[in-house]
Every structure is written in C-alpha cells, then in structure tokens.
Amino acid sequence: MVDLTTKYLGLTLAHPLVPSSSPFSKDPSTAKQLEDAGASAIVMHSLFEEKIESEAQQMDRFFYQQALGIGEADSFHPVPEHILSYQEQYLENLQAIKSAVNIPIIASLNGSSLSGWIDYSTHLQQAGADALELNMYYLAANVEEDSLSVENRYIEVLESLKQHVTIPITMKLSPQFSSPVHFIKRLEQAGANGVSIFNRFYQPDIDLETLDVIPKLELSTASEALLRIRWTALLYGRVNLSLAVTGGFHQTSDIAKALLAGADVVHLCSVLLKEGASKLSKMRNELEQWLEEHEYDSVQQLKGSVSQQHAIDPSAYERANYIQVLDSYSSPKSVLR
Ligand SMILES: Cc1cc2nc3c(=O)[nH]c(=O)nc-3n(C[C@H](O)[C@H](O)[C@H](O)COP(=O)(O)O)c2cc1C
C-alpha cells in the first residue's frame, strides 16, 4: 500500500490534496462535504480587512450619524444591543467548521494595514486555526514604488505577525516578482513556514459598447498548472519551506508532476467548483493508483525527484531551453509556406 501522507506547515496530512480558499468554507456543511470527499485539510475563504472597515463605516453612518435634520426622522433607527459583525461571523464560522470536521483548518487573511494584519491574525489563532495563510493580493502598479519596496512590505507584515502569532504562517503569492526564488528565500529568513504559489489575478475586461471596465472572475484552466510546477521545481532544495501550488490543478497527472517538482500539497479550487467536492476523492484515488503503477512506495519518495536540482537536464527549467523550444515549433504547411 502506498503511503500518501505529506508534511505541510508542520502538520501531517493524509495526502497532498487540499482545497484552497473558496466558497466551500463559507459554511460548515459545505466544508464537511470536502472532508467527506477525503480532503486532508481545508484553507478557509479569506477574512478581508477592507470588508471589516467598510462595514464599520456603514454601521457608523446608519446608527450614529442619523441626525438628518428632519425632525421626527432623527434617530429613526434604534441602536440594537448587538449585531454580529462580518468579522465575528467569520470567527464563528471558523469555530463551527473546526467542530464539524477532524482535519486541520488553515485560516486565510487579507489585510490592508499593518495593525489590521496583526489584530485579525491574532483573532484567527484564538478561534482555533491550525495555520494561517496570508493572502497578499497586491497589484504593484504605483509608479513611485520600486520592486524592493514592494517586497519589503511583505517582509514587514510577516516579521510583525511572527511576533504575535505562534501558528505556522504561509504566504500566498502572485507570480509577479522580479526574482521569485530570492524573494521567497527572504520570506523564509523572515520566518515564513511556507509559500503557496501562485495567486491568480482576475483580469478586468473592457465592455466594447459601454467602455466600462468590468471585473471578471473566470475559473482557471489546466494550462495554468505548468507555471506553478516550474517554479516549484526551481524552489525545491533552495528554500526550507513548505511548498503549496495553487492554480490550474484540474488533472491528476498535473498533481503528480507538482509532487515530482517538489510540492508538499496541491491546492484545488476551480476543479471542485466545476465538478463538485466528490471530484477530490476521485483524484486522490487516481493519484494512489498512479503511484502504485509507477512503483513508488510513498509521496515522500516522489517529492522533488524531478526538481531542478534532481532533473536529468536541469537547464530545461531555465531560459537555456528557450531557443530550443522556439525552434521546436512546427506550424501546419497551410499557414507557413
Ligand atoms: C469563487 C472563488 C473564491 C475565492 N476566494 C478566495 C479567497 O477568499 N481567498 C484566497 O486567497 N483565494 C481565493 N480564491 C482563489 C483560490 O483559492 C485559488 O488560489 C485560485 O482559484 C487558483 O486555484 P484554481 O485554479 O484551483 O482555482 C478564490 C477563487 C474562486 C474561484
């Protein structure tokens, strides 16, 4: 029998398939569906500091600034004893999920101020999260800000959090860093326990009729997995961090490739949203079968065996291969004559 267990953020998981942040964790019953399908851990959907702040402002306007100057209408809304805030709902949901399932729960936080990151991560730890994923969704588009300042912001948040929380911390990163391996090494030195590569930026679209710029969420496709696999292969053995891949994992064959490259866990989101939680158990069984057929005893044995450091041709992961790849293209005769 193949040993599918994997170590991730200091936790021993039954296998490497972990649902990433998604609407599945907005409710204990849907989170339970993931556990029933065999999920080895769950990453919660994110707690957004921006939402906490905007809710606080709305409440303030609604209940405390209602003196409209219209006589009787003033103080029209009685101030209720207590309303469950967005943050309290999130924490209650986290606790309810923790009671409903027996697998580790990784909370996810998207902060916007340093004090917010610290404050909310402390609450998430107190509510029972087994680890914390920092969803640092930041588009570096400021002409005044150089890449070192962008990176330093991540380091500053991480170093501060490490002084306040004791649970493992992993950073969910975008692919848009100038020198990802160097930056991730810096994160390790600043105390990160893991990285999750890579967050997907949702691309706004232009409506050609109204000229409006429209936010658009499209689920991923399998073509996105190779980017993650490549960078995992480049990171493996160079950093001493838990490695998770997220983005484009729809096929069991790509899960096997990510593990060969060196991933500790493979996150699933779009595939579960498209095909339902039960897809996870199918993929887990297919992975087990693949390992058996290829005579691996364990996931551990597989991990990193085709990372850059262990690949037969290490240059294949780097630019050295670029010219070869371009030259390998052959178009149909009818196109290039
Ligand atoms: C509907 C939806 C909601 C998501 N919510 C979150 C979230 O709250 N926090 C987060 O870090 N990522 C969130 N994600 C991103 C996913 O966790 C995942 O990283 C991304 O979709 C790439 O993985 P995939 O290709 O398997 O979908 C969300 C994705 C989708 C499609």
Side-chain angles (χ1 to χ4, degrees), residues 20-21 23 45-46 135 172 200 202 219-220 246-248 269-270 273:
S20 65
S21 253
H45 64 100
S46 300
N135 171 15
K172 189 171 186 178
R200 290 177 74 232
Y202 300 107
L219 296 180
S220 67
T246 177
C269 175
S270 291
L273 290 174

Side-chain angles (χ1 to χ4, degrees), residues 292-310:
E292 268 165 14
E293 282 168 9
H294 292 79
E295 298 182 355
Y296 286 99
D297 295 329
S298 65
V299 159
Q300 190 53 39
Q301 191 187 359
L302 185 73
K303 261 190 213 175
S305 54
V306 192
S307 62
Q308 193 197 25
Q309 291 183 345
H310 296 132

Side-chain angles (χ1 to χ4, degrees), residues 60-201:
D60 186 54
R61 272 202 300 276
F62 194 63
F63 291 116
Y64 303 109
Q65 298 179 22
Q66 25 175 312
L68 306 170
I70 318 174
E72 281 173 37
D74 280 6
S75 305
F76 188 69
H77 301 291
V79 179
E81 292 260 302
H82 186 67
I83 300 177
L84 211 56
S85 70
Y86 159 69
Q87 186 192 187
E88 286 166 332
Q89 284 173 33
Y90 186 98
L91 296 174
E92 281 198 0
N93 187 37
L94 168 57
Q95 284 166 334
I97 291 177
K98 281 287 296 173
S99 320
V101 302
N102 290 311
I103 49 178
I105 299 299
I106 300 165
S108 168
L109 177 61
N110 181 298
S112 49
S113 67
L114 190 56
S115 60
W117 281 108
I118 294 169
D119 194 23
Y120 304 122
S121 61
T122 316
H123 288 133
L124 293 170
Q125 172 167 288
Q126 280 161 359
D130 295 287
L132 182 61
E133 185 175 275
L134 306 186
N135 171 15
M136 301 200 67
Y137 194 98
Y138 176 73
L139 194 77
N142 181 349
V143 75
E144 305 291 339
E145 194 178 37
D146 64 16
S147 51
L148 187 61
S149 316
V150 173
E151 290 183 7
N152 286 344
R153 185 194 306 217
Y154 285 69
I155 303 287
E156 188 192 2
V157 168
L158 178 62
E159 283 178 341
S160 306
L161 288 199
K162 287 304 280 186
Q163 288 172 20
H164 291 85
V165 294
T166 51
I167 52 176
I169 296 181
T170 183
M171 315 280 283
K172 189 171 186 178
L173 302 173
S174 91
Q176 296 173 347
F177 288 96
S178 309
S179 180
V181 179
H182 176 265
F183 172 52
I184 291 171
K185 190 74 193 167
R186 282 190 72 201
L187 291 175
E188 179 193 331
Q189 286 157 355
N193 303 91
V195 285
S196 180
I197 55 171
F198 291 114
N199 222 337
R200 290 177 74 232
F201 282 127

